[in-house]
């Protein structure tokens, strides 16, 4: 990628003034990286320009693109943060600083697969970066994607290390941000390096199978097209092919062979509104026999990362098994671009919009886990110890969505208890929780919640928290609130006293060993 290419690429999307700024950033970065080369032998500047170009493709705001151009300058050249701030403003400097810090955090990770669950400290740094401004992670993803695309020039051991880390950290991160297309790109590239033989084998198998099924699917597609047109449902039908990596994962799961996998190729029906999604489902189930267990309504209960679609698998009269995904254009856009879909070329958002309290109004509701990460990040910055489980659960574990009787959506880690929900709604509701009704039925304190539950908290003014409740919460939020309340009522005085002694001891020990 050259300067002129990037400018040409960005031209349709940004204002003239912003393009001038971009040109300026390219000049500064080119000068700073002068003489440096990539492993491919190309001038180093080709890398940041490619990263910026990816960010343009993702529709990011100009500050993010500028930071993409400049992302390696502070770490690898003598350009300072102060200089960037003077030239491009606080936000751009802030983003570059964030990206630099994440790289440094990563440099400390020796072998990620071995240490991943234990790399508390490095993970914390990643979390702090997210907590600051999620755009830092988006730049990091673009950086990683380009490094994977040019991985062939790296020595073998480095290839494996980067590929593994991509699969363990960056792909799940993209997934958590709902960036489905990026996640898939990262997975395919990383997998092709980690297990080239398997990748080749599956790719060949897939090609063979797809030739056959595409021909067969053609008939089904025509039939569906005709039925939808008769029903006056405006639509678009495309085929979607499973990725090699997800096929590999599916094969690993059971003793299945590629012939048992139905969704190698699915038909995707895109319509204009939600109502039409359900109408399409009705039409399909009238035409063909659905496999009941495989009907999934991710529209009324979205996946934790915000993904929405209806999925159904049907059997045609000729015994062909076909999977369908039905969604609106908007849902499709989100499934592909995720959080990046909420950024717009012209819209200027400042870092402040993404931090602390204001994040909740800028971020879509299913991205509220970012706000929760920010809470953790604030604590980490304050030097507070966060249990390891909390860190891994929040970033890599699964999350569930539950609802209040009024229909407000709350996002909790898998395995969360009703009390976690109560404290999430309000600490006073947690404090006076007396019982729970889940989906209309009385529900015990000990029974974890499930995705999609409607949870009602029954409160009594006279009811107060008990020390045993500490076993019945898993979120840091609930635990912190609960402990504070228990301390106030004197219920855990002895415990905190004991903890104080332990803390004092470890501090002395640390001091003497230093
Ligand atoms: Mn880079």
């Amino acid at each position: 990628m050259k300067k002129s290419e990037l400018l040409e690429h960005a031209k349709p999307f940004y204002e003239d003034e912003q393009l001038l700024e971009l040109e300026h950033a390219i000049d500064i970065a080119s000068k700073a990286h002068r003489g440096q080369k990539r492993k491919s032998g190309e001038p180093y500047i080709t890398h940041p320009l490619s990263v910026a170009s990816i960010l343009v493709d993702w529709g990011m705001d100009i500050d993010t693109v500028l930071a993409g151009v400049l992302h390696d300058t502070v770490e690898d050249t003598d350009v300072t943060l102060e200089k960037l701030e003077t030239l491009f403003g606080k936000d751009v400097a802030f983003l570059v600083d964030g990206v630099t810090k994440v790289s440094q955090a990563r440099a400390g990770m020796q072998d990620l697969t071995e240490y991943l669950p234990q790399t508390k400290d490095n993970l914390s740094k990643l979390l702090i970066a997210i907590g600051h401004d999620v755009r830092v992670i988006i730049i990091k993803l673009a950086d990683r994607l380009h490094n994977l695309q040019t991985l062939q020039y790296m020595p073998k051991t480095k290839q494996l290390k980067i590929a593994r880390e991509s699969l363990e950290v960056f792909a799940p991160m993209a997934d958590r941000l709902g960036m489905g297309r990026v996640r898939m790109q990262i997975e395919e590239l990383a997998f092709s390096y980690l297990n080239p033989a398997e990748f080749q084998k599956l790719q060949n198998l897939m090609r063979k199978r797809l030739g056959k099924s595409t021909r067969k699917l053609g008939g089904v597609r025509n039939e569906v097209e005709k039925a939808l047109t008769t029903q006056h449902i405006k639509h678009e039908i495309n085929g979607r092919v499973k990725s090699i990596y997800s096929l590999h994962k599916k094969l690993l799961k059971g003793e299945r062979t590629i012939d048992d996998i139905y969704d190698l190729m699915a038909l995707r029906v895109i319509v204009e509104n939600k109502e039409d999604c359900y109408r399409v489902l009705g039409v399909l189930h009238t035409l063909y026999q659905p496999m009941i267990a495989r009907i999934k309504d991710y529209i009324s209960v979205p996946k934790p990362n915000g993904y929405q679609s209806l999925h159904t698998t049907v059997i045609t009269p000729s015994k062909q098994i076909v999977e369908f995904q039905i969604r609106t254009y908007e849902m499709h856009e989100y499934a592909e671009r995720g959080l990046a879909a909420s950024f717009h070329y012209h819209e200027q958002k400042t870092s402040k919009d993404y931090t602390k309290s204001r994040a909740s109004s800028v971020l879509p509701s299913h991205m509220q886990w970012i706000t929760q990460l920010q809470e953790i990040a604030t604590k980490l910055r304050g030097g507070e110890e966060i249990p390891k489980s909390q860190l891994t659960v929040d970033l890599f574990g699964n999350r569930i969505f539950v609802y209040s009787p009024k229909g407000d959506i709350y996002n909790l880690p898998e395995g969360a208890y009703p009390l976690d929900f109560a404290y999430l709604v309000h600490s006073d509701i947690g404090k006076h929780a007396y019982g729970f009704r889940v989906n209309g039925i009385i529900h015990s304190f000990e029974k974890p919640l499930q995705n999609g539950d409607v949870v009602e908290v029954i409160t009594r003014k006279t009811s107060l928290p008990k020390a045993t409740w500490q076993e019945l919460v898993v979120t840091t939020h609930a635990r912190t609130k609960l402990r504070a309340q228990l301390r106030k009522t004197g219920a855990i005085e002895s415990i905190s006293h004991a903890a104080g002694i332990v803390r004092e001891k470890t501090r002395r020990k640390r001091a003497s060993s230093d």
Side-chain angles (χ1 to χ4, degrees):
M1 167 94 23
K2 288 193 194 115
K3 171 181 175 177
S4 56
E5 284 170 352
L6 175 58
L7 282 171
E8 202 50 44
H9 185 51
K11 206 169 176 182
F13 306 113
Y14 303 94
E15 317 276 352
D16 288 347
E17 215 174 290
Q18 298 177 324
L19 289 167
L20 278 177
E21 251 190 314
L22 179 58
E23 200 171 348
H24 187 197
I26 297 173
D27 288 337
I28 296 286
S30 304
K31 223 169 95 200
H33 288 295
R34 186 166 293 155
Q36 297 177 346
K37 286 215 171 359
R38 292 211 99 203
K39 282 275 187 306
S40 62
E42 284 180 296
Y44 193 87
I45 187 69
T46 56
H47 165 64
L49 295 186
S50 302
V51 170
S53 165
I54 291 173
L55 292 166
V56 172
D57 285 334
W58 292 353
M60 299 303 294
D61 59 310
I62 191 70
D63 280 350
T64 311
V65 177
L66 295 176
V69 171
L70 299 161
H71 81 272
D72 277 329
T73 54
V74 172
E75 199 176 7
D76 298 338
T77 78
D78 46 24
V79 170
T80 62
L81 267 183
E82 291 71 42
K83 183 167 177 194
L84 290 186
E85 189 174 331
T86 322
L87 291 175
F88 302 103
K90 242 196 175 100
D91 267 18
V92 174
F94 183 86
L95 291 172
V96 173
D97 188 35
V99 174
T100 310
K101 282 189 177 129
V102 177
S103 319
Q104 284 160 355
R106 264 188 32 252
M109 297 190 207
Q110 295 298 314
D111 180 348
L112 257 152
T113 36
E114 251 177 74
Y115 291 101
L116 187 64
Q118 290 89 31
T119 46
K120 199 198 87 173
D121 193 44
N122 294 304
L123 269 179
S124 325
K125 287 181 191 162
L126 277 178
L127 294 177
I128 290 170
I130 299 178
H132 264 315
D133 187 330
V134 74
R135 292 179 297 178
V136 167
I137 295 304
I138 294 181
I139 298 170
K140 225 35 238 182
L141 285 170
D143 181 39
R144 177 49 55 112
L145 187 58
H146 185 248
N147 284 334
L148 281 171
Q149 284 164 349
T150 51
L151 202 57
Q152 72 263 37
Y153 303 105
M154 284 286 177
K156 195 98 212 157
T157 50
K158 201 121 193 234
Q159 284 180 351
L160 291 179
K161 195 183 152 209
I162 291 176
R164 205 174 292 138
E165 191 193 51
S166 302
L167 223 43
E168 300 283 345
V169 178
F170 288 90
M173 192 99 75
D175 187 47
R176 294 304 302 277
L177 298 177
M179 300 170 73
R181 199 192 300 146
V182 179
R183 191 208 73 208
M184 193 170 111
Q185 286 173 314
I186 291 178
E187 284 178 348
E188 295 293 81
L189 281 163
F191 183 55
S192 73
Y193 281 93
L194 280 178
N195 201 337
E198 184 71 5
F199 186 84
Q200 255 321 310
K201 193 185 109 192
L202 290 180
Q203 196 171 40
N204 292 339
L205 260 176
M206 184 93 108
R207 267 199 207 122
K208 248 192 249 154
R209 273 282 309 266
L210 280 182
K212 265 193 254 162
S213 45
T214 314
R215 276 192 302 278
K216 281 206 215 153
L217 273 182
V220 176
R221 187 181 162 153
N222 287 340
E223 223 165 35
V224 171
E225 201 121 70
K226 227 165 92 193
L228 293 179
T229 309
T230 315
Q231 297 290 321
H232 305 291
I233 303 175
K234 267 202 201 156
H235 66 277
E236 213 174 277
I237 302 187
N238 306 303
R240 96 91 176 82
V241 177
K242 202 172 195 62
S243 78
I244 307 274
Y245 181 65
S246 63
L247 173 62
H248 165 73
K249 275 204 302 197
K250 217 157 198 180
L251 289 172
L252 276 187
K253 259 194 205 160
E255 291 126 64
R256 298 196 287 180
T257 67
I258 190 165
D259 292 307
D260 303 324
I261 293 176
Y262 313 129
D263 56 351
L264 267 193
M265 187 159 171
L267 287 177
R268 188 176 281 154
V269 186
I270 305 179
V271 293
E272 285 178 341
N273 54 55
K274 195 161 98 178
E275 290 68 36
D276 280 353
C277 291
Y278 290 99
R279 287 175 67 202
V280 171
L281 188 73
V283 168
L284 290 176
H285 290 180
T286 313
L287 276 177
Y288 310 112
Q289 183 195 338
M291 295 167 77
I292 299 296
R294 293 180 57 94
I295 305 172
K296 303 237 169 71
D297 184 350
Y298 294 123
I299 291 181
S300 54
V301 184
K303 283 193 181 179
N305 65 4
Y307 174 87
Q308 286 189 300
S309 270
L310 299 175
H311 291 188
T312 186
T313 305
V314 301
I315 308 172
T316 68
S318 59
K319 296 294 168 230
Q320 209 186 332
I321 295 171
V322 186
E323 176 176 307
F324 283 90
Q325 299 177 344
I326 310 157
R327 54 175 77 150
T328 65
Y329 286 97
E330 214 175 310
M331 293 170 193
H332 182 59
E333 164 97 345
Y334 186 81
E336 299 270 301
R337 295 181 54 214
L339 187 64
S342 64
F343 291 88
H344 303 286
Y345 296 115
H346 298 300
E347 220 169 290
Q348 281 282 9
K349 287 178 181 171
T350 66
S351 275
K352 270 199 205 117
D353 289 329
Y354 295 96
T355 50
K356 297 276 169 52
S357 54
R358 278 212 268 167
S360 46
S361 55
V362 179
L363 295 170
S365 64
H366 47 262
M367 285 291 161
Q368 290 305 320
W369 59 272
I370 291 174
T371 321
Q372 292 169 2
L373 283 183
Q374 288 165 352
E375 285 175 22
I376 298 179
T378 311
K379 285 188 188 139
L380 287 165
R381 275 196 295 273
E384 207 171 308
E385 281 285 314
I386 306 287
K388 192 167 62 200
S389 58
Q390 184 64 33
L391 289 176
T392 45
V393 163
D394 269 314
L395 191 54
F396 297 101
N398 288 322
R399 300 194 69 90
I400 57 167
F401 285 96
V402 298
Y403 303 86
S404 75
K406 271 195 262 162
D408 296 325
I409 303 181
Y410 293 86
N411 174 355
L412 286 163
E414 223 168 47
Y417 292 101
L419 273 174
D420 287 304
F421 171 81
Y423 277 97
L424 189 57
V425 176
H426 196 280
S427 52
D428 277 343
I429 296 199
K431 186 177 177 184
H432 298 300
Y434 180 75
F436 299 96
R437 217 172 276 137
V438 172
N439 307 323
I441 298 164
I442 295 292
H443 187 102
S444 85
F445 280 65
E446 290 95 17
K447 203 167 143 201
L449 296 171
Q450 304 290 326
N451 200 24
D453 278 347
V454 178
V455 190
E456 187 187 340
V457 188
I458 305 158
T459 55
R460 280 210 187 152
K461 270 253 154 63
T462 50
S463 178
L464 286 173
K466 301 171 184 60
T468 50
W469 282 10
Q470 291 178 92
E471 300 297 318
L472 300 174
V473 293
V474 296
T475 55
T476 315
H477 175 80
R479 190 164 289 139
T480 316
K481 296 283 182 213
L482 172 62
R483 286 187 73 93
Q485 291 168 358
L486 288 172
R487 218 171 285 134
K488 247 188 203 160
T489 56
I492 55 159
E493 210 174 6
S494 54
I495 296 172
S496 61
H497 180 65
I501 294 170
V502 174
R503 243 198 321 271
E504 179 59 28
K505 268 192 187 160
T506 43
R507 210 180 56 198
R508 252 185 257 150
K509 208 168 156 195
R510 214 177 288 149
S512 63
S513 65
D514 273 350

